[in-house]
Amino acid sequence: MDNFKKAIRPKEEDFEDFSCHLTQLKTYRIHQYNGFFFERNDNEVLLDKNIIICSIRSAMENHKSIFNSTKNLQPLSSDEDGLFIYIPRNTTLDTPLQILNVIKTFEPLKIEAKTLIIVGENSHLKLIYCDDTVNDNLSKTESKISVVLEKDSSLEYYKMENINNLSSIFTDSNFVLDTNCELKTFWLSINGGDIKNKLSVALDGQYARADLNGLYMVDRDQVVDNQVSVSHNQPNCHSNQLYKGILDDSAKAQFKGHIYVSQNAPYTEAIQNNRNILLTDKAVVNTQPFLEIYNDDVKCAHGATIGQLDQGAMFYMRSRGISERSAKMLLMFAFCTEILSKASIEELVDTLQDIIKRRLHGELSSCENCVLLCSTPCGTSDVDFI
Amino acid sequence: MSLLEIKNLHASINGKEILKGVDLTINKGEVHAIMGPNGNGKSTLASIIAGRDTFDVTQGEILYEGKNLFELSVEQRAAEGIFLGFQYPVEIPGVSIANFMKTAINEQRKYKGLDPMPSMEFMKLMEKQKKIVDLDTKLASRSVNEGFSGGEKKKNEIFQMAMLHPRLSILDETDSGLDIDALRVVASGVNALRSPEVSTILITHYQRLLDYIVPDFVHVLFEGKIVRTGPRELALELEEKGYEWLR
């Protein structure tokens, strides 16, 4: 099995500018190719704002002071490299940053990607991170992301996973929030042979808030595993987990949601929800809430459901003349889009809704190019979604 | 030809017989009220006509415009002009009323070989029909029945009926849970849609609905059978005497 070759840095001339046709949405694009960061012409707006986007190695050489002054930063070993993003204090970036990790290979390839993001005090960032395979060859990606939010900062983070059915991706993401920080994540596992997401959020300052949303759509023999862990380490923090999944054919999903409330964290509010729809008898979901609470003055709730589409709603819709297939589509689409209700980038939500529709229609089984190509309206479908 | 002919209909659920030989004929333009105590088969009859498959039809037949109704799927029946106003309208979170209605209208049109309704025409139709039942404009952009009051849900049923203009409407206890103002609004909605081409079955417990929607016939469904049919006055008699005397 282990005939995977470790990815080496593609040559500069091999780099293709995989243009991402996210037509309605302007982003500042950052390129990774098989996990390697490719430096492109710097954008003037980003330069003006003193935003640093470079390799981790060059950051360690040229911006030592950042590493010394940022608390909550995990130590890096000297041989580590990857992508480094630094948003200085008091910076608001209206246009989202987008990291586009393009995976392209002609032989079984093992890819490692590392990203370190620091959002400075009172700064506000929106970031879209996409992993896309652009051909149908086997790959195995391990992606590590560390994000540090300094006090009073916020981050809206979108993670899109759309890889081919042979490929696997394992992301290990760590977010550390200081006082009064706000994190919103939208984790969309659109397609992939084997997807594993480990998400850890540490609420290390008072009044920090984390809103973690996830959607997985799997079919055939695909496997998706989400392990979400939130640590309430300080008083007055809020967290909310909402993960939803639709499973077709013999797909398997696992959800493990961990809420940890430290003895030092009174007035915690933590909610966790995992809801699943199984479209067949063969699809399997394992869902496992795990609450570890060491303080009495907390509000915690968790819930998990595994079910089929609501038969009462199906009959109601059909009794109005809507075909069984369309009724299913509408219900599944409605189920999925709840995840996006708190997303603030409207144009992106429109595009993501298109992607969800196409996925539900079975048109997205394997992407030939960047998933965000599919921002065209869903003209071929029977159901005209509004 | 009659619009709907029910002949010796027997139906059961989990082996328990609910309908024990119902006969009923409905012609174009007629309004029929079906009354009777709870648990005697009124809603079962409505559900079977609309196509709910939780009941086993063990005997008998239903002809709709001369066609065997049991050969049509739920959605085909709707497209052929059958509408069921639900006793308990279903909440569908995440699906807006506008989208729901647009999909329903266009799928019915597709069944009839018609092109989708142009968006402008659809919007105009929505505006017009909302007024019939005094439905709050904001409701249309909300999810179907989600968080609606009892009265709003029933208004929404009549609104949908107005949008789809069926030829046979079955209103299953549309009056239950309504205060007198809401009842008036719903009833005037039904009356506004009355025409020689439209037939209506009103299922109700109370004769008060029939003060507002005057039926051509009143039937009593008792212990799985229609035991009496009469003019509008029968409802008053039932109100006075109850059902036991029909035994």
Side-chain angles (χ1 to χ4, degrees), chain A residues 310-313 315-326 330-331 333-335 337 382-386, chain B residues 51-52 74-75 78 83-84 86 89-90 92-95 99-100 102-104 107-108 110 144-145 157 160 164:
Chain A
D310 179 350
Q311 289 306 306
F315 179 69
Y316 190 67
M317 296 172 106
R318 292 178 66 200
S319 80
R320 300 305 184 238
I322 298 173
S323 68
E324 197 171 352
R325 182 172 182 273
S326 299
L330 282 171
L331 287 180
F333 184 66
F335 175 84
T337 50
D382 301 344
V383 188
D384 185 16
F385 298 95
I386 291 177
Chain B
R52 200 190 280 274
V74 180
E75 52 268 36
F83 178 89
L84 173 64
F86 281 57
V90 181
I92 313 178
V95 178
N99 195 11
F100 179 51
K102 194 174 179 187
T103 309
E107 296 230 332
Q108 289 202 13
K110 192 173 157 191
V144 178
N145 294 322
E157 294 295 289
Q160 290 175 39
L164 299 170

Side-chain angles (χ1 to χ4, degrees), chain B residues 153-167:
Chain B
K153 282 183 183 171
K154 296 298 172 77
K155 281 185 190 177
N156 188 23
E157 294 295 289
I158 305 301
F159 163 71
Q160 290 175 39
M161 183 174 112
M163 291 295 289
L164 299 170
H165 57 86
R167 275 173 294 155

